[in-house]
Amino acid sequence: MSNVFAIFEQRIKEFVQQLDLKSDVELNLSRITVEPPRDPAHGNLASNAAMVLAKLAKQNPRAIAQLLADKLSDEPNVTNVSIAGPGFINITLSDEYWVHHLKEVLDQGKSYGGNATGDGLKVNVEYVSANPTGPMHVGHCRGAVVGDALANLLSFAGYDVTREYYTNDAGGQIEVLARSAYLRYREALGEDIGAIPEGLYPGEYLIPLGEALAKQHGEALLKADDEDWLPIVKKASIDGMMGLIRADLAALGVHHDVFFSERSLHKVENGSSPISRTVDRLTEMGLVYKGTLPPPKGAKPDDWEDREQLLFRSTDVGDDMDRALKKSNDDFTYFAADVGYFHDKFDRGFKEMILILGADHSGYVKRLEAVGRAISDGASKVTVRLCQLVKLFREGQPVTMSKRSGNFITLREVVDEVGRDAVRFMMLYRKNDAPLDFDFAKVTEQSKDNPVFYVQYAHARVYSVMRQAARDMGDLDISPNALKKADTSLLTDDGEIGIIKKMAEYPRVIDSAARSHEPHRLAFYLYELASLLHSQWNKGRDLPDLRFIHQENAPLTLARLALVYSVSCILASGLAIIGADAPEEMR
RNA sequence: GGUCCCGUAGCUCAGUAGGAUAGAGCAAUUGAUUCCUAAUCAAUAGGUCGGUGGUUCGAAUCCACUCGGGAUCACCA
């Protein structure tokens, strides 16, 4: 346990129980927190415990605070406990404590801060899930990065994470894809196909697919009936498109553990399919009925017609409206497949299912969460995180793209132009539910305007210092193992202690970012930590005493190298979660 | 019309389970390079947290209403 804040929170809760406060209601300790105070003058740790308890115990908060403060003062390493304002308990820890804490970072290296939250809980993160009808476009980018980083974060925090991609390989758009590919196949055999008809995919990425089909099947498919060639071309098309998508994802550094086929949910064996079995289950629970849906309130569509369909009573589990499970032609809807998919995930033992979706799916959230509740009977939780739109800019000018002409900006173009690291970091340098502006020029700029470079440079700077130390002090062992033995008590500058305090926040950042599913918090933290390092480095310009390397003083040099090396470990650990490199050199 | 998201400094945004005097970066002004990478740093200035009311010891944060911006809305996927 490296989380100082969690340690003290636990300790305070123990003390509260020892106080044996009288209360009519049961004391609720869950609201007690320990956090870094905004103002460093208030100490290192601040707790709201007394104020939370005051009302329940019907006592003066400052009186309770005093009782707790007395106990806290006797704790090792606590140098000062004060009561402030309405009843805050402010705790100051000794420099010796912080200097000792640095040892923990050194010992744990890149695993420092991890494995404290998840406790092995099985979590499924579903992200991207783009339709396999073409290469990925830039709109998919944000969800891919947010999902992947969240999966990394949860995994680091100790969850058992499965990264999943739901392949929409059933339904009408696959038939359109296959017909489009078939056209390219005929083209590959020398036929003049003219303009691509309305309703088919015009993209040139289908040309190689047509050529491959021609190569493999010759003219055999040409004379075949629709029902004979269609399955063959469908399969080849899906495989081909998924190949493109996987390659795009790989360029972005995104990898999934499971590609789950929608088609597999429709497959009937011994008279039932996964979907039909799920519907049966919901029927047993009394959540399925035949009926007609009311038209949307307000704007009633012109072509509205009442239809009797098989419906899911999702209003019973928190949705606004009941939802169709079957179309009027008796086929299952897309939504029914989704329900079946949740059922499958639930059967695979996931306690938490997270979906990363684009903002255009906002209307879909309630019904998905409702399905999760219904299928698992409350045992599993479905959380949906929406990613708002990304607006592209070039030199401040919006980049327009038209999807209609097939002339959209692909994910690959963006990655090729600005690099994987910049794309990933920038996509995470914003709350995911806020829209994001992405300027090609800005994200490739090599300055502190650009947080990616700022953070990476801090990491590289540490390695630069290490290289310099190796040159200046050739006989000194500065390997990580040697640094673990450094006498860190030689670190006395406020800036140095401040860096350790910032590092001590890392476990807390990981914990809270993982719990709230907000990987962007990590990106901001890394920026702050990098900033402290740059600042301390620059202090050495004015005050040579504060430089990291002192040729005549090996113990001090070792202590300071231990400090900056620890910083680099956390930066590397955080950058790995974000999915960006931690370069050792930037020239 | 329903639902969801956003509204914080001139600009782009953070704000951690409701906590103390609301924070960064950019832009502006001033300063620091014989030096471990100036791709950096230090300092100054900048705010009725869209508005009104409520909840309470305490609200940018929670609730209600309201204004402005965006997304979405029955058999598609």
Side-chain angles (χ1 to χ4, degrees), chain A residues 264-335:
Chain A
S264 69
L265 294 167
H266 289 274
K267 203 176 238 169
V268 179
E269 268 172 30
N270 303 325
S272 75
S273 69
I275 297 179
S276 74
R277 288 195 290 275
T278 303
V279 172
D280 289 347
R281 179 186 161 99
L282 290 173
T283 308
E284 282 165 28
M285 297 170 92
L287 290 170
V288 175
Y289 69 105
K290 260 200 154 148
T292 46
L293 287 171
K297 289 172 188 131
K300 182 169 173 173
D302 299 337
D303 56 346
W304 177 266
E305 50 180 288
D306 283 329
R307 291 183 273 261
E308 182 162 275
Q309 301 170 270
L310 194 68
L311 300 174
F312 170 46
R313 202 182 294 282
S314 49
T315 42
D316 271 18
V317 275
D319 201 355
D320 302 324
M321 222 177 128
D322 291 343
R323 306 291 174 180
L325 290 167
K326 278 193 173 180
K327 306 176 196 174
S328 42
N329 69 3
D330 224 33
D331 283 349
F332 284 114
T333 58
Y334 178 78
F335 174 65

Side-chain angles (χ1 to χ4, degrees), chain A residues 509-523:
Chain A
V509 169
I510 293 292
D511 182 65
S512 68
R515 282 182 203 278
S516 58
H517 306 147
E518 291 186 341
H520 75 276
R521 291 188 195 179
L522 176 60

Side-chain angles (χ1 to χ4, degrees), chain A residues 250-264:
Chain A
L252 195 57
V254 172
H255 302 279
H256 291 84
D257 303 315
V258 175
F259 285 82
F260 192 96
S261 158
E262 180 192 356
R263 222 171 4 153
S264 69

Side-chain angles (χ1 to χ4, degrees), chain A residues 119-160:
Chain A
D119 200 23
L121 192 80
K122 278 190 77 165
V123 179
N124 184 289
V125 186
E126 183 199 327
Y127 54 108
V128 187
S129 299
N131 284 346
T133 53
M136 293 183 58
H137 59 82
V138 67
H140 295 120
C141 194
R142 190 172 188 184
V145 171
V146 169
D148 199 57
L150 177 60
N152 290 344
L153 173 65
L154 291 171
S155 178
F156 184 69
Y159 292 86
D160 177 5

